[in-house]
Amino acid sequence: MREKILALLKEKSPSFVSGAEMAGRLSVSRTAVWKNVNLLQADGYRIERSPRLGYRLQEVPDLLYPLEFAGDLETKIIAAERRLIHYHRQVDSTAEVIKKLAEKGAPEGTIVLAEEQTGGRGRMGRSWYSPFAGGIWLHILLRPPLTPAQTPLLTLLASVAVTKAIRRLLPHVEAGIKWPNDVLVRGRKVCGILTELKAEPDIIHYVITGIGINVNIDAGKFRTELKDTATSLYLENKNNRVSRQKLTAFVLEEMDTFYRQYLSAGSLPVIEEWKKYSITLGEEVTIKNVLDVFWGKAVDVDSSGALVVEGKNGLRRHFQAGEVTLRGTGR
Ligand code: BTN
């Protein structure tokens, strides 16, 4: 209901719209209109009230109501229609919500966005700090006609899309990618990406990609253990707030473009873009996976997205998964 009221206020803005007209058009009582206007005001919308003329929208907060970011969205698959966008104020984790939708047969391109996650999850069973309106907490559902072996590329693809979106919005912020898909600025993590899939050996049922971008989070808000390793776009933008609405639209557009390109042209263009933004290649790294720890120089990414690391003895190993530490920075 709140969104419908908002749509009417926007349609009439900068003019007033009467409570009676809204109630009539939405087939609800005027009290219901009044209550929902109160809720919008509590969200930060500035709405003028006049006993004679009704309500008038004056200022919009940086919330991710689909109406606020999806109006001019130029995507063909991802969030390409309003019905594909599932917006929540608070969830445990967008992963839970999108999994349920996927299991019920939701179409490719469905997205879930939340203003806040109370149980946001990171890689390796870690938690992911997701305060209200502090970042972009997003999940995307894809049903690619690929084999499970080809999915690591989707993870790389998401990091390229986020990096490009950040640079499009904030050209002076030098976002780069640590293999496979952490987006860092000045050595600190600004975005984490988590991909899960449901598949049989040769067919994918669905892939869900979770993207968490720290946007307007102040330094003091990060937990102690994140203080030296995490950053936000607000901090990298000289303590100026960054539009989550614009960034969300850019991320979805870049994801859509790269995904369609991947399906039509294969992995090479994605890998080329990934290499452009890589902060891993050419560095001495430590890579840890479930089996062992390996030291060497990160020399390449192969066509499947695996990191190629060359050990002291010249031996090259291809890693499909693992945690990389850049030896110079310890990150
Ligand atoms: C990482 O540890 O680097 C991955 C972090 C992924 C966080 C995002 S936020 C939106 C989505 N929902 C979650 O619970 N996690 C992902």
Side-chain angles (χ1 to χ4, degrees):
M1 176 56 62
R2 221 180 306 188
E3 269 209 69
K4 289 190 177 140
I5 302 269
L6 183 55
L8 282 181
L9 286 167
K10 285 197 160 215
E11 181 192 313
K12 293 286 171 149
S13 174
S15 303
F16 278 94
V17 51
S18 73
E21 180 179 344
M22 286 206 270
R25 282 181 60 181
L26 300 174
S27 309
V28 296
S29 68
R30 285 174 67 169
T31 318
V33 170
W34 179 80
K35 275 190 188 148
N36 280 283
V37 168
N38 282 350
L39 291 173
L40 285 168
Q41 285 179 319
D43 272 348
Y45 282 88
R46 234 165 26 91
I47 300 165
E48 188 183 342
R49 296 168 185 255
S50 149
R52 228 169 27 86
L53 302 169
Y55 305 96
R56 175 162 69 169
L57 185 60
Q58 289 187 310
E59 202 179 300
V60 169
D62 190 26
L63 293 178
L64 296 180
Y65 282 112
L67 266 177
E68 304 294 2
F69 71 86
D72 302 323
L73 207 55
E74 289 183 8
T75 55
K76 295 199 168 54
I77 297 177
I78 298 170
E81 292 169 43
R82 172 62 188 84
R83 71 183 173 99
L84 298 177
I85 305 175
H86 296 254
Y87 168 76
H88 298 268
R89 293 177 68 73
Q90 189 192 64
V91 292
D92 170 33
S93 160
T94 52
E96 288 313 308
V97 182
I98 203 140
K99 259 183 222 164
K100 280 191 193 134
L101 290 168
E103 291 294 336
K104 279 199 227 144
E108 164 155 275
T110 296
I111 69 162
V112 174
L113 271 165
E115 298 290 357
E116 178 179 10
Q117 298 186 112
T118 50
R121 288 178 223 146
R123 298 209 307 154
M124 324 286 261
R126 297 189 195 110
S127 64
W128 184 263
Y129 177 54
S130 324
F132 187 88
I136 296 173
W137 323 126
L138 162 72
H139 248 104
I140 300 173
L141 168 67
L142 298 173
R143 298 186 183 274
L146 302 171
T147 64
Q150 291 169 302
T151 44
L153 239 295
L154 289 177
T155 305
L156 262 55
L157 185 152
S159 64
V160 171
V162 170
T163 304
K164 278 207 112 171
I166 292 174
R167 286 172 170 248
R168 213 169 122 193
L169 187 63
L170 304 168
H172 57 284
V173 172
E174 290 187 12
I177 310 169
K178 190 181 97 170
W179 186 88
N181 58 11
D182 283 348
V183 181
L184 272 63
V185 180
R186 293 186 307 120
R188 288 162 188 250
K189 184 154 156 174
V190 76
C191 166
I193 296 166
L194 196 61
T195 299
E196 293 167 75
L197 74 157
K198 181 167 176 187
E200 286 169 43
D202 51 2
I203 178 181
I204 294 179
H205 294 298
Y206 61 79
V207 178
I208 51 174
T209 299
I211 300 176
I213 310 176
N214 302 330
V215 184
N216 292 316
I217 302 181
D218 205 347
K221 294 280 192 297
F222 286 114
R223 285 194 313 268
T224 329
E225 67 267 33
L226 292 179
K227 286 221 157 54
D228 296 332
T229 55
T231 188
S232 73
L233 294 175
Y234 166 82
L235 296 172
E236 300 304 326
N237 195 33
K238 302 192 176 74
N239 290 5
N240 289 308
R241 295 182 71 79
V242 171
S243 165
R244 291 187 312 135
Q245 292 169 353
K246 280 196 192 134
L247 188 60
T248 302
F250 286 1
V251 167
L252 295 171
E253 283 173 1
E254 296 293 347
M255 273 295 291
D256 190 77
T257 306
F258 280 110
Y259 179 57
R260 286 186 291 109
Q261 186 187 41
Y262 177 40
L263 294 183
S264 63
S267 62
L268 224 61
V270 176
I271 293 192
E272 285 309 310
E273 284 291 313
W274 187 92
K275 285 183 181 172
K276 246 197 240 168
Y277 299 121
S278 159
I279 56 167
T280 307
L281 296 185
E283 298 295 320
E284 293 292 328
V285 299
T286 304
I287 181 158
K288 220 195 282 181
N289 63 17
V290 274
L291 297 173
D292 62 351
V293 184
F294 191 71
W295 292 270
K297 187 173 179 175
V299 288
D300 204 2
V301 165
D302 71 17
S303 60
S304 72
L307 185 67
V308 185
V309 183
E310 187 174 289
K312 286 279 164 289
N313 51 7
L315 176 81
R316 287 186 169 200
R317 280 180 59 181
H318 293 233
F319 289 88
Q320 289 290 353
E323 280 275 287
V324 165
T325 314
L326 303 174
R327 296 254 284 284
T329 64
R331 296 209 173 99

